[in-house]
Amino acid sequence: MEKSNDSSEYGFILVGFSDRPKLEMVLFIVNFTLYSVAVLGNSAIILVCILDSRLHTPMYFFLANLSFLDLCFSTSCVPQMLVNLWGPDKTISYAGCVVQLFSFLSVGGVECLLLAVMAYDHYAAVCRPLYYTVIMHPQLCLRLVAVAWGSGLVNAIVMSPLTMTLSRCGQRRVNHFLCEMPALIKMACVDARAVEMLGFTFAILIVLLPLTLILVSYGYIAAAVLRIKSAAGRRKAFNTCSSHLTVVSLFYGSIIYMYMQPGNSSSQDQGKFLTLFYNLVTPMLNPLIYTLRNKEVKGALKKVLGRQQ
């Protein structure tokens, strides 16, 4: 295909927030702080899930995978964004844009599916407690995680080349702070409806279908909790699910709100901040949500820190 835009040679310009220079330094400080907290928090979750044998259960196996995904999710774009915010250079190489787009599509897809897997794990724990260890056996857990990773990678393998090979007729300015698929498609100077429709199909399979499974799982969980007579039992069931529900609400709420916005300039600015939210704020909040509400994780953290001192 003809590369009339020369993007493979010169790369792209990430416009980001360059029209607001005073905001850039504030965003650099805030994003650097949030990213540091996200890296430390998610690394700590992974570490305690590996080191503490009491956390070698399906729930914490999935939690460690979620923390690893959050690390990948933030790292796929935040370091490049910090470089662009720090100085006048807003460029990203063509290869860097490809890696960023591929990482964003694959990890984002995996996280959507993993949250659905975690909802099923909570369903088994609350609605089938006597058969939980039989249902959630290690082989099934590995298969579910493998399916999540495989589906996310398929999404990226299909959509990344189709998006990057669209002709842009010399246009190099990406109206975003990262190489996100919708922003790159909008730059095309050819009919990109086929690529948009395929992306919409993948969105249904990877975003809406897992969300439906999550809602169905929690429908059964809510019915089971209402049948529990003791207040202590209901509280235990609620504590089991509340952290995951909070994470799902933050992640899916921001994505759905962003993609339902009309394509005007104000909504594009909102889209940038919402992308920041689910790509940086959510990964930073996830470790806090799980540690503050989970006695086992807090106990494991104290044990690991005490061992290192």
Side-chain angles (χ1 to χ4, degrees), residues 101-137:
L101 176 65
F102 186 90
S103 302
F104 199 73
L105 288 174
S106 58
V107 174
V110 176
E111 183 151 346
C112 289
L113 292 159
L114 184 64
L115 289 173
V117 170
M118 294 175 76
Y120 177 73
D121 175 65
H122 291 321
Y123 160 79
V126 175
C127 300
R128 298 287 186 271
L130 298 179
Y131 301 97
Y132 178 75
T133 55
V134 177
I135 296 172
M136 300 304 296
H137 54 84

Side-chain angles (χ1 to χ4, degrees), residues 276-292:
L276 271 178
F277 185 84
Y278 72 76
N279 206 2
L280 186 58
V281 178
T282 302
M284 183 273 297
L285 288 176
N286 286 355
L288 297 177
I289 291 169
Y290 278 102
T291 53
L292 292 176

Side-chain angles (χ1 to χ4, degrees), residues 15-31 84-87 90 273:
V15 175
F17 303 96
S18 58
D19 57 334
R20 303 175 186 177
K22 293 183 179 179
L23 178 63
E24 285 192 315
M25 187 51 63
V26 175
L27 285 174
F28 177 87
I29 297 170
V30 172
N31 292 340
N84 293 147
L85 287 172
W86 179 256
K90 310 298 181 185
F273 284 105

Side-chain angles (χ1 to χ4, degrees), residues 49 59 82-83 87 113 115 131 177 184 220 249 272 275 278:
C49 287
M59 175 182 174
L82 291 175
V83 171
L113 292 159
L115 289 173
Y131 301 97
F177 59 82
L184 291 170
Y220 281 106
S249 300
K272 293 176 188 179
T275 303
Y278 72 76

Side-chain angles (χ1 to χ4, degrees), residues 12 17 70 89 104 118 122-123 128 167 181 245 252 291 298:
F12 295 93
F17 303 96
D70 284 338
D89 184 15
F104 199 73
M118 294 175 76
H122 291 321
Y123 160 79
R128 298 287 186 271
S167 179
M181 187 175 70
L245 265 176
Y252 274 101
T291 53
K298 285 191 287 187

Side-chain angles (χ1 to χ4, degrees), residues 2-297:
E2 184 183 358
K3 293 184 181 296
S4 58
N5 53 8
D6 293 329
S7 57
S8 61
E9 182 179 353
Y10 300 108
F12 295 93
I13 300 170
L14 298 175
V15 175
F17 303 96
S18 58
D19 57 334
R20 303 175 186 177
K22 293 183 179 179
L23 178 63
E24 285 192 315
M25 187 51 63
V26 175
L27 285 174
F28 177 87
I29 297 170
V30 172
N31 292 340
F32 179 78
T33 303
L34 294 180
Y35 179 62
S36 301
V37 174
V39 170
L40 290 173
N42 285 293
S43 299
I45 293 289
I46 295 170
L47 185 65
V48 297
C49 287
I50 292 173
L51 295 180
D52 198 314
S53 59
R54 295 174 300 175
L55 302 185
H56 292 175
T57 63
M59 175 182 174
Y60 296 106
F61 172 68
F62 296 137
L63 177 58
N65 273 271
L66 180 64
S67 293
F68 177 71
L69 283 171
D70 284 338
L71 281 175
C72 295
F73 210 21
S74 295
T75 305
S76 68
C77 79
V78 175
Q80 177 68 50
M81 181 182 62
L82 291 175
V83 171
N84 293 147
L85 287 172
W86 179 256
D89 184 15
K90 310 298 181 185
T91 59
I92 183 173
S93 67
Y94 184 84
C97 192
V98 171
V99 171
Q100 198 174 76
L101 176 65
F102 186 90
S103 302
F104 199 73
L105 288 174
S106 58
V107 174
V110 176
E111 183 151 346
C112 289
L113 292 159
L114 184 64
L115 289 173
V117 170
M118 294 175 76
Y120 177 73
D121 175 65
H122 291 321
Y123 160 79
V126 175
C127 300
R128 298 287 186 271
L130 298 179
Y131 301 97
Y132 178 75
T133 55
V134 177
I135 296 172
M136 300 304 296
H137 54 84
Q139 291 81 7
L140 177 63
C141 295
L142 288 172
R143 288 171 192 159
L144 289 172
V145 170
V147 168
W149 275 98
S151 301
L153 288 173
V154 167
N155 177 44
I157 289 170
V158 173
M159 294 308 303
S160 295
L162 291 175
T163 302
M164 295 302 299
T165 54
L166 287 170
S167 179
R168 296 179 179 86
C169 302
Q171 172 68 11
R172 296 173 56 217
R173 293 173 65 85
V174 182
N175 189 20
H176 216 298
F177 59 82
L178 58 83
C179 290
E180 192 184 37
M181 187 175 70
L184 291 170
I185 290 176
K186 286 180 181 178
M187 295 167 59
C189 60
V190 295
D191 189 354
R193 282 179 293 182
V195 178
E196 289 178 329
M197 287 303 299
L198 186 59
F200 181 73
T201 302
F202 271 108
I204 292 174
L205 295 174
I206 292 180
V207 179
L208 294 183
L209 183 58
L211 179 58
T212 302
L213 295 175
I214 290 171
L215 295 175
V216 170
S217 296
Y218 276 105
Y220 281 106
I221 290 171
V225 170
L226 290 175
R227 290 196 296 267
I228 298 175
K229 296 181 179 180
S230 67
R234 287 195 297 271
R235 191 180 305 110
K236 182 179 179 181
F238 176 77
N239 290 336
T240 301
C241 305
S242 59
S243 297
H244 181 253
L245 265 176
T246 304
V247 170
V248 168
S249 300
L250 290 171
F251 185 77
Y252 274 101
S254 57
I255 289 179
I256 292 173
Y257 181 80
M258 185 183 75
Y259 284 101
M260 288 178 66
Q261 294 300 303
N264 54 46
S265 59
S266 61
S267 67
Q268 287 177 358
D269 288 341
Q270 289 178 7
K272 293 176 188 179
F273 284 105
L274 283 168
T275 303
L276 271 178
F277 185 84
Y278 72 76
N279 206 2
L280 186 58
V281 178
T282 302
M284 183 273 297
L285 288 176
N286 286 355
L288 297 177
I289 291 169
Y290 278 102
T291 53
L292 292 176
R293 297 191 177 191
N294 193 304
K295 293 180 180 180
E296 291 178 323
V297 174

